[in-house]
Amino acid sequence: MQTTSVFESKESGLGYGGWLRCFRVFNGINWGIGVLVVLALPPLFLLTWGNNSQNDLNLIASLVRFIPGAVISFLIWKSLLMKSDKVPSKIKWLMRIDLALSFLAIMLIYYLYMRGYVSEKPAPILFGIIYYVVCSSYFKRSKRVASYYGVNSLSPT
């Protein structure tokens, strides 16, 4: 009887894992890449300063694009292991901020591109929108999220 009850308790309670772990790994990779880019760009900026003003603006535009994403990814990555019913809503809030900052950065870079200040057209925001819709939907409806963070963590927002 005890073996059955132990087996049933492992089956019924979904722990940290699955897509939740995949989401954390993805944010950790995104954070790591962002940190590497942010650390690599200032030395490049110092080495090439004054050679070409368009290259200087391209490097600054890259920093503007990568810094918010790296910071938000770190905050999400750090929050995922906290076991609180407020974590899913905090993560959705952080993803909204990330999407808004990405949109603003892309609009700024696109404006600079149209004026001829930067040479590269910014990447479309479509991937960011898809990422937000899929991940916020997951945090809204997942049984694993409800099991790990508590049933009260699933909110309509």
Side-chain angles (χ1 to χ4, degrees), residues 55-115:
N55 284 343
D56 297 340
L57 287 174
N58 284 336
L59 289 172
I60 292 171
S62 296
L63 279 173
V64 166
R65 182 70 182 102
F66 279 103
I67 288 175
V71 171
I72 298 290
S73 288
F74 173 73
L75 294 173
I76 290 173
W77 178 80
K78 185 178 165 193
S79 299
L80 280 168
L81 287 181
M82 290 189 270
K83 243 183 152 177
S84 168
D85 61 345
K86 293 176 180 29
V87 168
S89 61
K90 179 182 178 181
I91 289 171
K92 287 186 276 186
W93 180 75
L94 286 168
M95 287 190 310
R96 279 186 220 122
I97 290 174
D98 185 41
L99 186 62
L101 290 175
S102 294
F103 181 74
L104 290 174
I106 286 171
M107 293 305 295
L108 175 68
I109 294 169
Y110 187 73
Y111 174 78
L112 293 173
Y113 171 75
M114 293 304 289
R115 294 287 184 168

Side-chain angles (χ1 to χ4, degrees), residues 45 48-60 116-119:
F45 187 72
T48 63
W49 177 255
N51 293 344
N52 184 348
S53 63
Q54 191 167 28
N55 284 343
D56 297 340
L57 287 174
N58 284 336
L59 289 172
I60 292 171
Y117 295 117
V118 294
S119 61

